[in-house]
């Protein structure tokens, strides 16, 4: 490893997030590994129970005239966006599997509409179907992989979604890079390509950056 570690972020960072990295002395490159296309296909309707596993689904639904009585969601950021827009959040979980288990245990006789993207993962709908929970799905946004080839290797790679992993490996190999993932779902995808994975303590962009900073600062100090 060179004296100055280098990382690539598969998501464009905010100014405050960049400063977190700049203050550590780590060199970094950023790009948008995925592009989101919001669909205008929801219309005006009334939903009793809606499931959201991403902020993108929330953003898309908020553009419509849909009325939702109860929201069930994954992640504190998703919950925050819903509540900031006057939506009532009944249950929140760290990941889709945990949310499905809560629904199965407490809301099994309810019906649900799962607002999702075209690349949504199977854990939640599969678990609900297997336990005879009535669920319908509506795709409200499309995720497009924005592949970019780098003619170099990085000491670290920051991933914020399974599709971000898919996008990166279309044109690049992970090799000896240490991979920093925002959560277990993203890490599950990364495990297909590497064992060098560190998962954030909290599912936030900032915490992914903090994990990378901790790792490489420790690594640098061990060489001095």
């Amino acid at each position: 490893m060179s004296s100055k570690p280098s990382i690539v972020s598969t998501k464009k960072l905010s100014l405050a997030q960049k400063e977190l990295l700049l203050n550590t002395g780590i060199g970094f490159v950023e790009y948008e590994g995925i592009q989101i296309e919001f669909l205008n296909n929801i219309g005006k309707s009334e939903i009793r129970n809606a499931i959201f596993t991403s902020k993108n689904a929330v953003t898309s639904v908020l553009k419509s005239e849909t009325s939702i009585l109860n929201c069930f969601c994954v992640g504190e950021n998703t919950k925050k966006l819903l509540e900031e827009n006057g939506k009532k959040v009944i249950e929140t979980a760290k990941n889709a599997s945990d949310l499905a288990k809560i629904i199965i245990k407490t809301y099994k006789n309810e019906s649900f509409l799962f607002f999702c993207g075209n690349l949504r993962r199977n854990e939640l709908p599969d678990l609900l179907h297997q336990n005879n929970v009535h669920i319908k799905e509506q795709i409200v946004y499309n995720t497009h992989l924005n592949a970019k080839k780098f003619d170099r290797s990085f000491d670290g790679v920051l991933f914020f979604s399974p599709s971000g992993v898919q996008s990166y490996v279309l044109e690049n190999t992970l090799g000896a890079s240490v991979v920093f993932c925002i959560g277990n779902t993203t890490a599950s995808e990364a495990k297909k390509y590497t064992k060098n994975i560190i998962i954030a303590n909290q599912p936030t962009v900032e915490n992914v950056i903090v994990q990378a900073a901790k790792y490489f600062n420790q690594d640098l100090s061990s060489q001095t």
Side-chain angles (χ1 to χ4, degrees):
M1 186 185 294
S2 63
S3 58
K4 184 177 181 179
S6 64
I7 64 173
V8 57
S9 171
T10 56
K11 174 186 177 72
K12 289 279 185 77
L13 303 175
S14 70
L15 186 59
Q17 290 162 352
K18 289 178 188 178
E19 286 176 351
L20 278 175
L21 275 174
L22 290 169
N23 290 337
T24 66
I26 297 172
F28 72 95
V29 174
E30 60 175 354
Y31 79 109
E32 291 291 357
I34 59 174
Q35 293 179 332
I36 302 299
E37 173 198 4
F38 296 110
L39 303 179
N40 186 23
N41 65 343
I42 304 170
K44 187 175 182 178
S45 58
E46 293 186 1
I47 311 297
R48 179 173 173 80
N49 300 306
I51 296 173
F52 297 93
T53 57
S54 76
K55 286 174 66 179
N56 289 324
V58 175
T59 300
S60 188
V61 171
L62 288 175
K63 295 174 183 286
S64 73
E65 295 182 62
T66 298
S67 172
I68 301 170
L69 185 61
N70 303 314
C71 296
F72 298 75
C73 69
V74 170
E76 288 299 321
N77 288 335
T78 307
K79 177 185 179 182
K80 183 180 177 184
L81 184 58
L82 284 164
E83 290 183 336
E84 284 175 348
N85 287 275
K87 304 299 182 185
K88 182 182 177 184
V89 178
I90 302 296
E91 297 285 357
T92 311
K94 284 188 175 181
N95 58 60
S97 296
D98 285 350
L99 182 61
K101 290 170 186 173
I102 291 170
I103 290 172
I104 291 163
K105 182 178 180 181
T106 311
Y107 307 94
K108 189 168 185 177
N109 296 323
E110 296 281 346
S111 295
F112 296 86
L113 180 57
F114 178 23
F115 289 114
C116 57
N118 61 316
L119 299 182
R120 70 108 176 97
R121 293 175 66 85
N122 296 325
E123 290 95 338
L124 184 140
D126 283 359
L127 272 170
L128 295 184
H129 284 306
Q130 289 163 15
N131 288 273
N132 300 314
V133 177
H134 187 264
I135 177 176
K136 290 184 177 179
E137 297 179 32
Q138 183 165 0
I139 294 173
V140 292
Y141 69 94
N142 289 327
T143 301
H144 302 285
L145 304 186
N146 185 31
K148 180 179 174 66
K149 184 171 178 60
F150 293 97
D151 295 320
R152 57 178 288 196
S153 58
F154 296 94
D155 299 308
V157 186
L158 310 185
F159 287 124
F160 306 96
S161 68
S163 48
V165 178
Q166 295 163 8
S167 174
Y168 186 80
V169 299
L170 280 176
E171 294 286 350
N172 307 280
T173 57
L174 290 170
S177 300
V178 179
V179 167
F180 301 88
C181 295
I182 198 166
N184 290 318
T185 311
T186 301
S188 295
E189 186 66 28
K191 283 175 185 174
K192 297 176 183 178
Y193 309 98
T194 183
K195 294 180 180 178
N196 301 327
I197 298 171
I198 294 175
I199 302 173
N201 296 329
Q202 297 293 329
T204 65
V205 173
E206 289 77 11
N207 198 265
V208 176
I209 294 170
V210 166
Q211 296 304 320
K214 279 184 180 177
Y215 177 86
F216 289 115
N217 280 338
Q218 288 172 357
D219 196 68
L220 283 172
S221 62
S222 69
Q223 294 182 32
T224 56

